[in-house]
Amino acid sequence: MAKNILLLTGSGIYGALGNYIDAFEKEFLKLGYNTLVIDVEKPDYLEQYRWVVEHCPIYAVVDCQGVWDEIECESDIPGDAVKLHYFCDHPLYHFERLARTGADEVIVNIDREHVRYLRQYYPQFVRTAFIPLAGCGADRLIPYGERETDVLFTGSYWLPETPAWEAGRDFGDKLKAAICRRMLECSAKTIEQALREELERMQVTLSSREFTGLLSELKDVESYVRRVNRDRVIRCLLAAGIRVSVYGAGWEDLQCEGRENLTMLDGNAEAARRALGHAKIALNVMPGFKAGFQERIAAAMLSGAVAVTDVSSYIEEEFCDGNDIVLYRLEELEKLPQKIESLLRNPEEAERIAEAGRRKALESHTWEQRVRQMAALIEQYHGTEEMSAERDCSGAADAPNGDMPVCGQRLEIKNERERVSYSMWRISTALSREVNGLKELYNSGYAEAGDAVAFLEKLRAWQDEMNGLCGRRFFSGDNLSLFSGTLSGMLQTGEGFEQAILLLLMTADSLLVRMEERVRAAELEEMLLGETAFYDMRNHEELLAKHMLHKYGGSEDPGHRLWMESVRESGRVRSYPQQLYDKYEGIAADIRYDNERGMLYVMHHEKRIYYPDTYTPEEVYAEYCFCCMEQDEDSPHRYLDERFRVEEGTVVIDAGTAEGNFALAIVGQVKKLYLVECDAKWIPALEATFAPWREKVTIVEKMLGDRADETHTTIDEIAAGETIDIIKMDVEGAEAAALAGAAKTLRQNPAIRCVIATYHAKGMEERVMQYLREQDFRTETTEGYLCYRNESEALWDMELRHALVRAQKI
């Protein structure tokens, strides 16, 4: 019986993640597994995932770069399914993701040093393994003696400008500069080794959590070292007069001696792969993998080119310099031009090395071998014996045991809620991707007749699907067959395939225009019929803007007019008017790191606002700017103003505290402050923020509502008969229930005042105001409006709402 493997895909740089998953799927099918593929970048990926959970028993989940973490869903696959993550970068890039990864999940690394790093600093992960990258070579290999490209490098270029930390004076800048120097001086040194050495020099001791957190802040150092090494290698060859052809972005920024020897080629990743079959030498610069392999090396070897690369300990163990590979060292870069020139002068010797490298790669470095190793891991964790904590799976692996079919099947994932507009958009997106890919191949000179045939087959399949869904076609009548016949005749002439591809591209461009018109028409029709939820809309931003302009465009309300001015100028609908976002774009924020607590904080009016230890500086900055904007004097979400203030000696309940910006603003003048927050991630941060006032601050880690139990509380339970002066409440739509749980407190405090968020749900403003008036309160709303982007609401229900209701006991 076949076993079902769920593969999660995305794009990544140059579509690398998608290419990896495509390769995984092909090999899993050959091993007899069934496969299901979900693209987490597609808008309906959660619907597909829910369908899979409900209808398909999953044996294992496999992803690249931990994209499994993107799925936030109340449904989950069975606990016995193996979750295998193939991490293609240093774990420092996955610091936040690793904090959310289960201890029983399998983490596969492409570098032995990465495995050692996890073993040392993440001992909870006992299921780690080393499986290096592999590659896919060109399908068409030109005989070595007929190859026209001397040296080919596939990859982008970033000018390694002097980093800001070189001129910095604070601890962080000096640390980055020192680590960068250590790594550039010794190419075999990992970034964690450089950090450890520098901390030892400074006599600084960190816990594992502190060390990994600090290392995660050094991504820019690791990236800069990569850029410098790539820049040095290419400059060295160009200055020596060696012609180098490159695929990738950014090469126009390289200005150096010998620049005339650089040839920039146009094309996508597929064009670059095909170009390897025309190259004599394929150059590689290792991207920081000190004990790993590189896809670029395997692809070069499989394409019959001589792979020339700098060293790693794994490469030196696996290959023989001068036999099946040519190695150089970054510390001896001056020798590289001589090695290249020797290969170009001795084509027979170069061809011998290329052929030996190809045999070696076919034997040990294809995705077939790598997926067999993954399958062995999956079977072992489903099977009888526990593996050792660290597993090196780089060698050959046996095929999975058991009664497996000769070949598995790709299972169709159904989205039972998929509407015609989405189906057409999905087909249109696929058509656009194929058109762009074919254009890239044509422009690069590597298009082949088979590309046109494959494109026609996909066009026919999409038309059949679209016809079955809604009776619509790309071509009327039997014109697709006639068009196919015309193209087939052109292709059969041999030299006519280029004209056939041009005709196909021109026709496809016109089809795309019509498809876009049909998608928009279908969406509008579904919206008018009340069939499409907001999150189903493919062009929802444009449609939402049109909806708001239609609904409020003629309003005389100053708040509405401000909003419509914003929508007309920006063409989009955000939570607040665009003018407010513009006011806070790029504001300064003093973000610092607390080594003792292991958390980032912002200095705000000479007080510290701490953030969860999983937050990156970018996340802290975004959150801080948004909170400042919310409390701007022109914001509809401003809790306090000149008439509604917190007086000295008051007792305040802040329900829905989050980072605590409201509470921090008033903590100096209050007598007592209760912070109610149910999200556990904020509790340590709140404890740190309010540590200076712990004698008058009480943190309540419960959900606020109309009942009190182990996980819920009420205002009445918190107050417990104490005089309460102010209640601030922003509890994500639970305000009505929370007010019901405050009935006694509202009755017993004659001077109590409230400020309540009312924007989370349609009609909440009216419900809150009516309830408070019944309790003898005078109520008013704050000025202005916001648009709450609730994805569960249909687009036509989206509206501008007052953010807050302020109330004073009469």
Side-chain angles (χ1 to χ4, degrees):
M1 180 178 180
K3 302 165 183 176
N4 300 328
I5 304 286
L6 174 60
L7 296 159
L8 303 178
T9 188
S11 57
I13 298 177
Y14 304 124
L17 299 190
N19 293 337
Y20 292 166
I21 293 297
D22 288 345
F24 293 179
E25 183 187 24
K26 177 183 176 182
E27 301 305 330
F28 274 122
L29 288 170
K30 286 163 61 176
L31 290 173
Y33 294 94
N34 291 336
T35 61
L36 304 101
V37 180
I38 295 178
D39 186 342
V40 299
E41 295 182 359
K42 293 290 180 65
D44 69 334
Y45 76 92
L46 278 180
E47 292 300 323
Q48 292 192 24
Y49 175 73
R50 292 188 184 101
W51 186 90
V52 168
V53 171
E54 183 177 346
H55 294 89
C56 297
I58 298 301
Y59 194 71
V61 178
V62 177
D63 69 13
C64 283
Q65 299 295 67
V67 297
W68 165 261
D69 189 56
E70 302 294 327
I71 294 185
E72 297 179 3
C73 182
E74 67 280 1
S75 305
D76 202 359
I77 61 172
D80 60 346
V82 174
K83 296 175 185 175
L84 187 149
H85 311 298
Y86 193 64
F87 281 172
C88 306
D89 280 313
H90 194 290
L92 72 89
Y93 288 93
H94 304 286
F95 176 67
E96 294 85 9
R97 183 169 283 125
L98 287 170
R100 299 185 292 268
T101 301
D104 62 340
E105 298 177 27
V106 184
I107 301 177
V108 177
N109 298 273
I110 60 172
D111 189 307
R112 287 196 183 109
E113 290 293 341
H114 299 173
V115 177
R116 295 189 184 103
Y117 175 81
L118 284 178
R119 289 270 293 141
Q120 181 171 356
Y121 294 105
Y122 294 88
Q124 70 270 29
F125 298 128
V126 297
R127 298 180 173 185
T128 59
F130 166 55
I131 298 179
L133 288 165
C136 296
D139 299 321
R140 183 166 174 258
L141 306 186
I142 304 298
Y144 195 88
E146 300 175 16
R147 298 189 174 207
E148 66 274 14
T149 302
D150 285 348
V151 180
L152 179 66
F153 180 81
T154 56
S156 295
Y157 176 80
W158 296 273
L159 185 66
E161 299 174 317
T162 302
W165 67 69
E166 287 291 351
R169 296 183 179 181
D170 62 18
F171 170 80
D173 288 336
K174 291 179 179 178
L175 181 66
K176 287 183 176 182
I179 290 171
C180 183
R181 284 194 296 272
R182 288 180 182 273
M183 294 181 69
L184 289 174
E185 289 168 1
C186 177
S187 62
K189 186 164 294 180
T190 66
I191 189 168
E192 60 268 26
Q193 289 170 340
L195 176 57
R196 280 196 296 266
E197 290 174 4
E198 194 58 27
L199 292 175
E200 288 172 5
R201 185 190 66 81
M202 295 186 295
Q203 297 183 332
V204 174
T205 302
L206 299 180
S207 67
S208 292
R209 177 67 178 175
E210 291 167 339
F211 185 90
T212 55
L214 181 57
L215 192 72
S216 73
E217 300 301 321
L218 303 179
K219 300 183 186 76
D220 52 347
V221 176
E222 204 263 355
S223 175
Y224 178 74
V225 171
R226 290 190 192 192
R227 295 180 183 188
V228 169
N229 288 335
R230 183 172 293 188
D231 176 79
R232 289 176 58 213
V233 169
I234 300 299
R235 284 176 186 267
C236 175
L237 294 180
L238 296 179
I242 294 174
R243 294 178 300 165
V244 180
S245 300
V246 294
Y247 273 100
W251 288 102
E252 62 277 2
D253 295 331
L254 175 59
Q255 302 298 325
C256 63
E257 181 186 356
R259 178 66 171 72
E260 66 278 6
N261 296 315
L262 183 72
T263 301
M264 294 183 291
L265 303 173
D266 294 326
N268 56 10
E270 175 60 19
R273 184 181 72 87
R274 296 186 184 189
L276 286 170
H278 296 251
K280 299 173 184 176
I281 297 169
L283 180 67
N284 178 61
V285 184
M286 290 297 286
F289 303 157
K290 312 303 180 185
F293 193 51
Q294 228 287 330
E295 177 189 12
R296 201 178 287 119
I297 303 172
M301 290 179 165
L302 292 168
S303 301
V306 178
V308 177
T309 181
D310 52 331
V311 300
S312 79
S313 59
Y314 174 78
I315 292 173
E316 289 186 298
E317 292 172 12
E318 190 72 9
F319 299 94
C320 180
D321 186 17
N323 181 36
D324 46 24
I325 199 169
V326 173
L327 302 178
Y328 65 92
R329 298 182 183 277
L330 291 171
E331 289 82 1
E332 301 173 345
L333 200 53
E334 70 280 359
K335 297 180 180 180
L336 177 59
Q338 301 168 16
K339 292 175 180 282
I340 298 289
E341 290 169 350
S342 176
L343 290 169
L344 294 175
R345 285 197 308 268
N346 299 281
E348 295 84 4
E349 175 66 8
E351 184 174 5
R352 183 193 64 76
I353 296 174
E355 181 56 31
R358 184 167 179 269
R359 288 196 302 270
K360 179 72 172 181
L362 285 170
E363 176 187 329
S364 305
H365 299 286
T366 68
W367 286 116
E368 178 181 358
Q369 284 96 27
R370 304 301 191 243
V371 172
R372 281 179 172 271
Q373 293 153 13
M374 293 181 199
L377 287 174
I378 291 170
E379 293 302 324
Q380 193 140 14
Y381 282 123
H382 261 293
T384 56
E385 58 180 302
E386 186 74 9
M387 290 198 317
S388 61
E390 178 181 347
R391 170 118 173 189
D392 188 334
C393 296
S394 58
D398 294 331
N401 295 321
D403 187 17
M404 296 284 286
V406 174
C407 186
Q409 294 181 314
R410 182 173 191 176
L411 304 180
E412 179 185 0
I413 300 177
K414 298 179 181 179
N415 181 353
E416 295 169 350
R417 298 177 65 247
E418 182 169 305
R419 306 197 181 279
V420 170
S421 63
Y422 179 79
S423 302
M424 294 178 66
W425 172 85
R426 177 171 46 75
I427 294 170
S428 176
T429 301
L431 173 61
S432 176
R433 184 174 60 248
E434 291 296 326
V435 168
N436 291 333
L438 189 56
K439 283 180 180 177
E440 293 270 9
L441 288 174
Y442 179 81
N443 292 334
S444 70
Y446 290 115
E448 301 171 353
D451 298 320
V453 174
F455 192 101
L456 267 178
E457 289 301 314
K458 291 177 181 178
L459 200 62
R460 186 174 289 107
W462 289 326
Q463 170 155 298
D464 290 343
E465 181 182 0
M466 195 163 59
N467 188 36
L469 285 167
C470 57
R472 295 176 181 173
R473 297 167 174 261
F474 289 122
F475 298 84
S476 60
D478 198 36
N479 285 343
L480 178 56
S481 297
L482 296 174
F483 180 66
S484 299
T486 301
L487 284 177
S488 297
M490 297 173 71
L491 292 172
Q492 288 172 2
T493 63
E495 296 295 324
F497 85 89
E498 290 190 1
Q499 289 78 9
I501 289 177
L502 273 178
L503 175 60
L504 187 57
L505 287 173
M506 288 188 293
T507 304
D509 277 336
S510 65
L511 294 180
L512 273 174
V513 173
R514 284 187 299 197
M515 281 294 292
E516 291 173 2
E517 294 172 351
R518 288 174 177 175
V519 169
R520 293 173 188 271
E523 286 188 333
L524 287 170
E525 180 180 354
E526 290 166 0
M527 183 187 76
L528 293 172
L529 292 174
E531 295 178 352
T532 308
F534 171 70
Y535 60 84
D536 284 330
M537 304 297 287
R538 302 285 67 80
N539 298 301
H540 59 264
E541 290 295 339
E542 178 184 344
L543 292 170
L544 180 57
K546 290 181 179 178
H547 166 70
M548 287 296 185
L549 287 169
H550 175 75
K551 190 168 186 174
Y552 298 106
S555 174
E556 295 299 321
D557 184 311
H560 290 164
R561 294 177 68 179
L562 176 68
W563 254 102
M564 293 310 101
E565 179 185 340
S566 168
V567 174
R568 289 188 183 99
E569 289 181 358
S570 66
R572 60 186 300 195
V573 179
R574 303 179 75 177
S575 298
Y576 296 89
Q578 184 63 41
Q579 299 92 324
L580 206 53
Y581 287 96
D582 293 341
K583 187 174 181 179
Y584 284 85
E585 183 178 356
I587 65 168
D590 186 2
I591 302 175
R592 306 180 187 181
Y593 184 74
D594 188 325
N595 286 310
E596 182 178 347
R597 290 190 168 94
M599 287 185 282
L600 293 165
Y601 65 90
V602 178
M603 291 303 299
H604 180 69
H605 300 306
E606 300 183 355
K607 299 172 184 173
R608 296 184 178 190
I609 301 181
Y610 281 85
Y611 290 82
D613 59 6
T614 58
Y615 272 40
T616 64
E618 293 79 13
E619 290 170 327
V620 168
Y621 180 76
E623 189 103 14
Y624 176 72
C625 291
F626 191 80
C627 290
C628 289
M629 182 185 72
E630 277 195 329
Q631 300 310 308
D632 182 86
E633 61 182 6
D634 295 325
S635 170
H637 199 287
R638 188 184 183 194
Y639 294 117
L640 305 175
D641 62 14
E642 294 73 16
R643 296 185 299 110
F644 199 92
R645 295 180 296 179
V646 175
E647 308 294 342
E648 289 285 340
T650 55
V651 179
V652 178
I653 294 178
D654 179 1
T657 307
E659 78 294 321
N661 66 326
F662 168 79
L664 194 63
I666 64 172
V667 69
Q669 62 256 42
V670 301
K671 174 185 175 183
K672 181 70 178 177
L673 184 56
Y674 294 95
L675 308 181
V676 187
E677 179 54 58
C678 64
D679 191 340
K681 75 178 181 184
W682 286 112
I683 302 304
L686 288 174
E687 290 172 346
T689 297
F690 292 94
W693 304 277
R694 59 170 57 92
E695 75 283 350
K696 62 177 177 179
V697 174
T698 298
I699 299 176
V700 181
E701 187 183 354
K702 286 190 176 183
M703 187 175 294
L704 194 67
D706 55 3
R707 71 181 192 275
D709 53 33
E710 291 184 0
T711 58
H712 296 75
T713 189
T714 65
I715 294 288
D716 288 343
E717 182 182 53
I718 294 168
E722 183 178 2
T723 298
I724 302 296
D725 298 296
I726 293 180
I727 298 173
K728 168 257 170 181
M729 189 185 296
D730 190 343
V731 288
E732 304 296 325
E735 288 81 9
L739 281 174
K744 185 176 179 181
T745 303
L746 296 176
R747 285 196 309 270
Q748 292 181 349
N749 292 276
I752 192 170
R753 293 177 294 158
C754 303
V755 56
I756 313 293
T758 57
Y759 59 88
H760 293 102
K762 191 177 182 68
M764 181 64 75
E765 177 185 322
E766 292 77 13
R767 292 170 61 191
V768 167
M769 293 182 77
Q770 179 180 347
Y771 181 83
L772 289 172
R773 287 168 183 163
E774 291 172 354
Q775 306 299 318
D776 298 324
F777 280 82
R778 180 177 61 251
T779 63
E780 65 178 18
T781 62
T782 50
E783 294 183 4
Y785 302 89
L786 59 74
C787 180
Y788 182 55
R789 304 295 296 270
N790 185 353
E791 294 188 347
S792 65
E793 291 189 28
L795 183 144
W796 55 91
D797 283 334
M798 300 294 285
E799 60 183 358
L800 299 180
R801 297 170 185 166
H802 290 112
L804 308 171
V805 167
R806 296 192 183 122
Q808 169 77 56
K809 197 74 175 282
I810 300 174

